[in-house]
Structures are given as C-alpha cells and as structure tokens.
Amino acid sequence: MDIHSEMDKIGKRARAAQYQLRRAKTGAKNEALASMAEFLRRDADDLQRANRKDLRAAEETGRDAAFLDRLRLDEGRIEAMAKGLEEIAALPDPVGEITDLRYRPSGIQVGKMRGPIGVIAMIYESRPNVTADAAGLCLKSGNAVILRGGSESLHSNMAIAERLRAALGRARLPLDAVQYVGTADREAVSVLVRMDAFVDVVIPRGGKGLIERISREATVPVIKHLHGNCHVYVDASADPDKALRVVINAKTQRLGTCNTAESLLVHAARAGDLLPAIAQALQEKGIEIRACPRSLPLIPGAIAAGEDDYYAEYLGPIISVKVVDDVDAAIAHINTYGSQHTDAILTEDLGSAQRFLREVDSSSVMVNASTRFADGFEYGLGAEIGISTNRLHVRGPVGLEGLTTQKWIVLGDGHIRA
Amino acid sequence: MDIHSEMDKIGKRARAAQYQLRRAKTGAKNEALASMAEFLRRDADDLQRANRKDLRAAEETGRDAAFLDRLRLDEGRIEAMAKGLEEIAALPDPVGEITDLRYRPSGIQVGKMRGPIGVIAMIYESRPNVTADAAGLCLKSGNAVILRGGSESLHSNMAIAERLRAALGRARLPLDAVQYVGTADREAVSVLVRMDAFVDVVIPRGGKGLIERISREATVPVIKHLHGNCHVYVDASADPDKALRVVINAKTQRLGTCNTAESLLVHAARAGDLLPAIAQALQEKGIEIRACPRSLPLIPGAIAAGEDDYYAEYLGPIISVKVVDDVDAAIAHINTYGSQHTDAILTEDLGSAQRFLREVDSSSVMVNASTRFADGFEYGLGAEIGISTNRLHVRGPVGLEGLTTQKWIVLGDGHIRA
C-alpha cells in the first residue's frame, strides 16, 4: 500500500473516532486514563524490553549520551508517565463548558461552548513519554490523536501506544482515538501535515529543524514551539536582592530550557550599582558574560557582545548583558531582538510594571518573577503539551484548554430574525 | 520599484505603527474613530465623486447591476460607514483586559492579558464600506491594518482611506496604522499573504474564488470565511408553530446570506404531520423543494433531491429536505454534509437540545432559533469583520475580541522557581 492511502486510512479512522469521542462521558474518559496508567505500570517490564531494543540500535548508530538519556525508559519514567495520566484524569473536563450566556435584546440567549478541536497530529522526537502525555491530554479534551515519534524510539512508542489503546478498549471508547504511525516511510510526516480533510492541527515537539520543516511543509495549522530568547530587565527602581535572586534563578536554575534567560538588560542608572554583583554571582555559577560597550568596563572577565549575541538562544552557560536608558529602551530591545517567548521586569515602580506588561509582545510577561516559571504546571494547567510561540489561538504553555475551541450557542423559544 | 520591495516597505511601516498603537490610549483611539466618522461625512461629496469614477469604469467593462449596486457609495452608505465607526468607538476597549488572575501555590499570580494580534491584512472585493469597517475594528483592537480592496473600487477605497488616515493624524496616532495598497500590480496580494515577518493574519472577504486562492497561497495564518450550508432540524418533540416560523425565517428572510438555511431535516415521526404545511409555506414564498425519497410523496410539487443537494449552498430560492430517523441521524447528517457554519434544532426535549448543542460541530449551534441570528450584531459583538469558518483561534462571527490574542502575565515579588 502506498503511503498516501495508508495515511488516508489512519486519517479517516481518526475522524470517525473523534466523532464518537465528542459524545464520550467524562467518566469514561477518566476511566480510560486510569486504565492507561494501570497498564503502563503493569507492563513496565515489557516497556523496558521494547525500550532496550531502541537503546541498542541508538548505541550502534553512535548516538551520544544525552540522546540515549532522553530515549531511556526506566522504572521512574514509567511511573512518571502513569502519574501524569492520573493527574490528567483529575483535571476538570473542558468539553461542554458553557460561558458568557447572556440574553440579547432580540430575546435569544447567546453564549459559548467549549469543545474539542478535532484530530490532532503530534510529531515528536526521542522522548517516549510524549506518547502517553500527548495521548492523555488529547483524550481528556475530546480530540483524536495521531502520534508520530522519532524512528529511534519506535519500539518504545509502539509498546506504550498499545497499552493506551487497550485502556481505551476497556473503557469502551474508540481505539482509534489514539493511533501511532509506525511505518518506516519518512514521507509519512509530509503526508500527515497536508491532510487537511482529516487533521485539524499539527503540534510538533522537538528541535528547531523539525519545527521548521513542519512549518514549511504543513497546510494544516501548526501550533509551533519555537525558541526562547528570554530577557530579564532590571529597572531603575528594582530591589537589589530581588534582582540578584531572580536573575540568577532565571539564568542558572536550568541552562537548557526555552524559558531560561539569555539576556540581561539593566537601566543605566543602576548599572554601576547592581551589575558588578549580579555579574559576579553569574560568573561564580560558571556563566560567561557577553557585555555591551557600557557594561563591559563594569564586569571583570566579560567579553564584548556582538550584534548576534542579542538574538542568541544559547541554551548554555552564556548570557548577554546590555545597559539601556529606560523602560522604553528595554521594551524596544525585547520587541526587536527577543523571540516573544518569556520576558521579565524587576521593578518596584507600578508605572514601569504596567507599561512592561502591556507593551512587551511576548507569550509570557512577568513582573518580579523568574522566567523559569513559564510552564504549564507552574501556571496551573495541570499538564502541558508544549509552549506555543504562535500568536493566534493559543500563546505560551498549552494545556487542555489550548486543545479546545469555542463555538457559539444560541437558545431561543421559536425566535426569528426581524 | 518592484512589487516585493514595495510591499516590504508597507509591511515595515505597518509593524512600526503597530508597536506605537500597542500603547495608544483608549481615548486617542476613540478620538480617531470619531474624526474618521466626521471626515467621511464632511467629505461625502468627494467620496461620491471618486466612487463615480469606479462606477463608470465598471459600467464600461459591462459589470452587472448587482455588482454596481455593491460598488455604489450613496449618502446613506456613507452615513452608515460613519455611524459604524462611532459605534466601534462606543465599544469597550479589549486591549489590556486582564482575566483569570489567580495566586498559585508558588506564590506567583498568573493571569491573562488581552492585546492586539499585530498586523492584519484585509483583502476584500467590491464593497467600499469594508475599508472603513475593517480599519475601525483593527484600530480599536490595537492592530495595524493593510487594506487591499478590489481594483474596481480603487478610487472609492483610496478616498475613504485618505480620510481615515487624516483622522489618525488628528488624534496623533501613526498614519500607517491604516495603509491602503493602491498598486495596480495583481501580484501585490500574493506577496502580501506570504510576508510572515510583517503580517500576522490575513482576513479575506469576498467570493469563494478569492478565499480559496488566498488559502492556497498564504503562508501567514488566514481567518477564513467559507460557505454556509446551514440546517434546520425539526425534532420529534418540536412545537409546530415554532417549527413553521423558524424554518420560514431561516430560509426566506434573506436568500443570499451565509447563515440562510439550505437544508431542512425532519424527524420521521413528524414528517407526515408537519412537512406538508412547512413545505407549502416555503413554496408560497417561491422556494423550490428538493426532497428525499421519504419526503417526496408528502410534498406536492417537490422534485427529487440528489446527493449533491445535501452539500449545496444554494444562496437562492431552493431548499433540500430529508426525513431522518432520530436526533442521532440528524447530527450525523449535519456533521457529514454541512459546512460547520450554523445549524439549528427545533425541539421541546431537553435531552435532544443538549445532544444537538454538544455534538453538532459547527461554529454556531442553535435551539429553537433561526439560523439568521448568526451575526456579529445579533450576538452583541457590536460589529463584525467576518464570520470565521476556522476551528482555531476564532469560530463564527469575528468582532473586536477575535482580533485580539491573550498572553500570560505573571506577578511576583522576587519569586524564583525552586
């Protein structure tokens, strides 16, 4: 069978399952989620056996230690997947939520009802836990999901997906609510992201290469998760202790995440006073500092920043530093060089805080808090399927609500339009 | 100058204006809207002179009466544009609205703030009033707009846009918040819808051909306004008077709109009782009936419906009729043949109403009300820029809120992530 007709079959099955899922009771969905967790725990040995096949193949093809670590499924990670599914079961069901129902002068009541988007294609790289996380979130939000993980994690992903489908069966929900694309054909992804008739949205999770490829090829809408060039701006009125604490946390709590700070902006009036101490604390944590001409003399051991540094997402032990004249200059710098991911201001001045919140055009904008908080769990979403850098539909951490859409509902009593 | 660099310049100016608009005060935006209305009224003669040029050219190229009517700007239509702008001024400003601000266990407050999408490209056909309507809605929601109307209405649109820009100047807002693409080069649209760096969303308004072309060519997200194949389903428990009234209104109140009913579904138990009277009333209004095998014998003068009839958006004096076995069959029919625009049930049964509301996958779903209510004014949006048939971001009538996006805001007091 050629890849087009194979993918078409998967798409049709997903669409059919999705219409059944649309009327699934919350209880049935939660029961399936609980069974998913149960089956993953029960079959942990089988999952690890499948995972060892993937690990061996990856070792043989010379993958590095970091890759192997992401691929590995140990007891702890299986337990984490199971717990994650149970947590999703405990979240409120977003489907059917009615809001803003109001009477209009014509006598009709108009409001909004939340429901599933439809069929979601999830394309991801080596972490097998995404299989369970994505399936759980899609199921709870009433969406059918078509999963396609990296070929290196094929055995692990298929083994997980098998348990997820068994759990759907036990809860009498359509098995095709969760499908895994197991074909070796690399064309599968290109076909999947152009199946407008059967797929409503594509969510890629992985490196820049994957996301750029999918954005280029897709005709189906894509919820993108691009890079994070996050800023912390220390305003004229910043409290020195809070500034030091937040900058150190934002940069060093974890180096490789998209919400890690990559650039520090400091108001000119505070550069002399605050920058040396902050820079020293960063350097003690092993961070290299790339400084603008005004900050360079204030920071022993810093090197001169080039224009490229202000655009960079280092994902490592480097930070760029720039002195700016005021909050306007800080906002302009962030809106020019930033990636509209997460940016924070340190200030005790209400006006500066309000301007920064309103005018910084990023998916998360923070006052006196570490950029590291930009995360679905920290925001109370319960779980996240990614962090959207789109402007439309959903920005920032995407949880159950981001996987839904709202339709209008109108209630009348035989009302007609005049 | 080639069309690419010309459009690039327009894009850059729009982006720059948009960053200024982001911090515009509500008062300044309302002042500009009021001045727009004032200038359109003041210069009504000039607008009509420009419009006569367009009308003459259209007559010479043999355009039909309906086209000329859409193109015509008379006193009444100029007054309606001005009133529309004043009504937009009177709507609450959606920019900066903060919702759902809650404390999290970590101590941070997390919420959402509404703001502009950014730069909107509006591509439309012959009605010149769209120039003012779109500019007004975009301005109020803090977006810069790039307008491109049909070449047949060039003089009218340019004359309107000139007044709108003058009003922006008087309110000390950036003129480039409203730009009109006046070049004769037909490539302009193709370039515009691929300028991802400068345009955040494209909204086409016009015939199917225009919307399909733009959907095909655009790399920027598109808010589509596709066709409406709207259904009215008369359930077993329907009240006969309400059913008759709503079906007649939904089909005949206006024939050519996207929220007009194109298909009537009737529960088998009520076909004999209700269908003859409803059909007769429709026929008295000049509506041709295309009936399924079960309804055909009940309706004198009806002709047999083919499969294509159930997919059709007639936009004219025809309706398809089908007898269905129950609410399940009605929902399945609508989800199969419908266009996910607007669908209504007539029922006195709460269970049927709830199932229909939840399971019909359309942008507007109604109980005991005419599909003709699917409209921004009727829903209380104040004004609409179109009716979205997208599933993501915004479905159904699009008003100010649909032209905005929400970002996350986080308020702390030096909080760091543990």
Side-chain angles (χ1 to χ4, degrees):
Chain A
M1 189 162 55
D2 86 326
I3 189 68
H4 284 271
S5 42
E6 194 174 337
M7 296 308 295
D8 246 41
K9 263 176 78 172
I10 291 175
K12 273 181 197 145
R13 283 197 220 114
R15 183 64 78 201
Q18 201 272 313
Y19 276 117
Q20 285 181 261
L21 217 53
R22 186 169 289 273
R23 49 175 171 236
K25 304 261 189 305
T26 304
K29 295 190 286 187
N30 290 345
E31 190 192 320
L33 288 162
S35 296
M36 286 176 175
E38 181 191 329
F39 292 171
L40 292 182
R41 286 197 185 101
R42 184 195 66 191
D43 297 345
D45 289 347
D46 296 335
L47 298 181
Q48 286 179 282
R49 199 168 309 125
N51 184 243
R52 277 195 292 275
K53 272 194 218 169
D54 288 331
L55 284 169
R56 260 197 307 276
E59 277 175 89
E60 278 163 19
T61 54
R63 296 297 193 153
D64 64 18
F67 186 94
L68 295 173
D69 178 59
R70 285 197 297 275
L71 180 54
R72 183 164 291 114
L73 265 190
D74 55 22
E75 286 273 354
R77 286 187 177 167
I78 293 169
E79 177 56 29
M81 273 196 289
K83 271 232 174 71
L85 291 162
E86 288 168 343
E87 280 162 10
I88 294 168
L91 293 173
D93 190 339
V95 176
E97 178 202 45
I98 295 175
T99 51
D100 305 321
L101 195 65
R102 294 193 187 99
Y103 281 100
R104 295 286 309 147
S106 62
I108 58 173
Q109 276 176 290
V110 178
K112 289 179 181 174
M113 182 188 273
R114 195 173 286 288
I117 291 175
V119 176
I120 295 175
M122 185 84 200
I123 299 165
Y124 51 105
E125 290 181 335
S126 54
R127 293 181 197 274
N129 66 298
V130 176
T131 310
D133 296 352
L137 284 166
C138 289
L139 172 64
K140 184 74 183 238
S141 51
N143 296 288
V145 68
I146 300 174
L147 300 159
R148 168 71 172 191
S151 56
E152 307 82 1
S153 45
L154 179 68
H155 296 98
S156 315
N157 291 336
M158 297 271 279
I160 294 167
E162 200 183 312
R163 274 70 191 181
L164 304 180
R165 286 167 60 94
L168 288 165
R170 191 204 257 180
R172 294 172 189 271
L173 292 175
L175 298 199
D176 292 330
V178 176
Q179 295 183 83
Y180 190 85
V181 180
T183 170
D185 194 331
R186 300 206 67 202
E187 264 294 287
V189 169
S190 304
V191 176
L192 187 58
V193 301
R194 304 180 68 88
M195 295 206 304
D196 292 69
F198 303 122
V199 178
D200 297 301
V201 65
V202 178
I203 307 179
R205 265 187 73 172
K208 218 173 163 178
L210 175 75
I211 292 163
E212 283 175 352
R213 175 190 159 198
I214 286 175
S215 304
R216 205 169 45 240
E217 293 187 357
T219 53
V220 172
V222 179
I223 296 181
K224 292 188 199 70
H225 179 314
L226 287 172
H227 64 301
N229 174 17
C230 304
H231 297 73
V232 178
Y233 164 58
V234 179
D235 190 35
S237 65
D239 176 273
D241 293 338
K242 295 179 199 168
L244 180 68
R245 187 162 72 229
V246 168
V247 173
I248 299 303
N249 185 263
K251 179 66 218 178
T252 69
Q253 200 241 351
R254 267 181 78 184
L255 291 177
T257 57
C258 60
N259 57 19
T260 299
E262 306 289 15
S263 194
L264 169 64
L265 306 177
V266 181
H267 191 286
R270 301 301 293 281
D273 146 28
L274 295 178
L275 207 38
I278 293 175
Q280 196 189 335
L282 286 168
Q283 287 167 330
E284 281 166 7
K285 296 265 190 181
I287 307 297
E288 175 187 317
I289 293 177
R290 303 205 180 158
C292 72
R294 290 160 83 181
S295 53
L296 196 57
L298 301 169
I299 309 172
I303 64 170
E307 179 79 356
D308 283 355
D309 282 300
Y310 300 119
Y311 287 108
E313 183 190 29
Y314 298 114
L315 295 173
I318 310 173
I319 194 168
S320 68
V321 173
K322 192 174 181 191
V323 173
V324 293
D325 284 327
D326 52 23
V327 69
D328 277 322
I331 293 167
H333 179 95
I334 292 169
N335 285 341
T336 305
Y337 294 94
S339 63
Q340 310 190 329
H341 192 294
T342 301
D343 300 287
I345 185 174
L346 271 300
T347 189
E348 300 300 313
D349 181 80
L350 185 58
S352 293
Q354 286 188 313
R355 291 213 37 211
F356 194 87
L357 283 173
R358 176 160 170 163
E359 294 174 29
V360 170
D361 184 20
S362 300
S363 70
S364 289
V365 187
M366 304 186 167
V367 176
N368 294 331
S370 168
T371 55
R372 287 280 298 128
F373 279 114
D375 172 285
F377 286 94
E378 295 293 340
Y379 283 5
L381 305 184
E384 70 174 34
I385 203 159
I387 296 188
S388 166
T389 53
N390 284 23
R391 303 183 65 77
L392 295 183
H393 186 65
V394 59
R395 296 183 83 181
V398 182
L400 286 178
E401 193 178 295
L403 296 176
T404 62
T405 174
Q406 286 181 308
K407 63 186 175 192
W408 295 89
I409 60 171
V410 173
L411 308 180
D413 188 31
H415 286 77
I416 59 172
R417 190 156 163 195
Chain B
M1 189 160 59
D2 85 327
I3 188 68
H4 284 272
S5 41
E6 194 174 339
M7 296 307 296
D8 245 42
K9 263 176 77 174
I10 291 175
K12 275 183 195 142
R13 283 197 219 114
R15 183 64 76 203
Q18 201 273 315
Y19 277 119
Q20 285 179 260
L21 218 54
R22 187 169 287 275
R23 47 176 174 235
K25 304 261 190 304
T26 303
K29 295 190 288 189
N30 290 346
E31 191 193 319
L33 289 162
S35 296
M36 286 175 174
E38 182 192 330
F39 293 171
L40 293 182
R41 286 197 186 101
R42 185 195 66 190
D43 297 345
D45 288 348
D46 296 336
L47 298 180
Q48 286 179 281
R49 199 168 309 126
N51 184 242
R52 277 194 294 273
K53 273 194 217 168
D54 288 331
L55 284 169
R56 260 197 307 275
E59 278 176 85
E60 278 163 20
T61 55
R63 296 296 192 152
D64 64 16
F67 186 94
L68 295 175
D69 178 59
R70 284 197 297 275
L71 181 53
R72 182 165 291 115
L73 266 189
D74 55 23
E75 287 274 353
R77 286 189 178 166
I78 292 169
E79 177 55 30
M81 273 197 288
K83 270 235 176 67
L85 290 163
E86 288 168 343
E87 280 163 12
I88 294 168
L91 293 172
D93 189 340
V95 176
E97 178 202 45
I98 294 175
T99 50
D100 305 322
L101 194 65
R102 294 193 185 96
Y103 281 99
R104 295 287 308 149
S106 62
I108 59 173
Q109 276 176 290
V110 178
K112 288 179 181 174
M113 182 188 274
R114 196 172 285 288
I117 291 175
V119 176
I120 294 176
M122 187 82 200
I123 299 165
Y124 51 105
E125 289 179 337
S126 55
R127 291 182 198 274
N129 66 299
V130 176
T131 309
D133 297 352
L137 284 166
C138 288
L139 172 64
K140 184 73 182 240
S141 52
N143 296 287
V145 67
I146 301 174
L147 299 160
R148 168 71 172 190
S151 55
E152 306 81 2
S153 44
L154 179 68
H155 296 99
S156 316
N157 291 335
M158 297 271 278
I160 295 168
E162 200 184 312
R163 274 73 191 179
L164 305 179
R165 286 167 59 94
L168 288 167
R170 190 204 256 179
R172 295 172 189 272
L173 291 174
L175 299 198
D176 292 330
V178 176
Q179 294 183 85
Y180 190 83
V181 180
T183 170
D185 194 333
R186 299 206 67 202
E187 263 295 286
V189 169
S190 305
V191 175
L192 187 58
V193 301
R194 303 180 69 88
M195 295 208 303
D196 292 70
F198 303 121
V199 179
D200 297 302
V201 65
V202 178
I203 306 179
R205 267 189 71 175
K208 219 171 164 180
L210 175 77
I211 291 163
E212 283 175 353
R213 175 190 160 197
I214 286 175
S215 304
R216 205 170 47 239
E217 292 188 358
T219 53
V220 172
V222 180
I223 296 180
K224 291 187 200 71
H225 179 312
L226 287 172
H227 64 300
N229 175 14
C230 304
H231 297 74
V232 177
Y233 163 58
V234 178
D235 192 35
S237 64
D239 175 272
D241 293 339
K242 295 179 199 168
L244 180 68
R245 188 162 69 227
V246 168
V247 172
I248 299 303
N249 184 263
K251 180 65 218 178
T252 70
Q253 200 242 351
R254 268 181 76 183
L255 291 176
T257 58
C258 60
N259 57 19
T260 298
E262 305 289 15
S263 194
L264 169 64
L265 306 177
V266 181
H267 191 287
R270 301 301 292 283
D273 146 27
L274 295 178
L275 208 37
I278 293 175
Q280 195 190 334
L282 285 168
Q283 287 167 330
E284 281 165 8
K285 295 263 188 183
I287 308 296
E288 174 187 321
I289 293 177
R290 304 208 180 155
C292 71
R294 291 160 84 181
S295 51
L296 196 56
L298 302 170
I299 310 173
I303 64 170
E307 179 80 356
D308 283 355
D309 282 300
Y310 300 119
Y311 287 108
E313 183 190 31
Y314 298 114
L315 295 173
I318 310 173
I319 193 167
S320 68
V321 172
K322 194 175 181 190
V323 172
V324 294
D325 284 328
D326 51 23
V327 68
D328 278 323
I331 294 168
H333 180 95
I334 292 168
N335 286 339
T336 304
Y337 293 94
S339 64
Q340 310 190 330
H341 193 294
T342 301
D343 300 288
I345 185 173
L346 272 298
T347 189
E348 300 299 313
D349 181 80
L350 185 58
S352 292
Q354 286 188 314
R355 291 212 37 213
F356 194 86
L357 283 174
R358 177 162 170 160
E359 294 173 30
V360 170
D361 184 20
S362 301
S363 70
S364 288
V365 188
M366 303 185 170
V367 176
N368 295 333
S370 168
T371 55
R372 288 280 299 130
F373 280 115
D375 172 286
F377 286 93
E378 294 294 340
Y379 284 5
L381 305 183
E384 70 175 35
I385 202 159
I387 295 188
S388 166
T389 53
N390 284 22
R391 303 183 64 78
L392 295 183
H393 185 64
V394 59
R395 297 184 83 182
V398 182
L400 286 178
E401 192 177 296
L403 296 176
T404 62
T405 172
Q406 286 181 306
K407 62 187 175 191
W408 295 89
I409 59 170
V410 173
L411 309 180
D413 188 32
H415 286 79
I416 59 173
R417 189 156 164 194

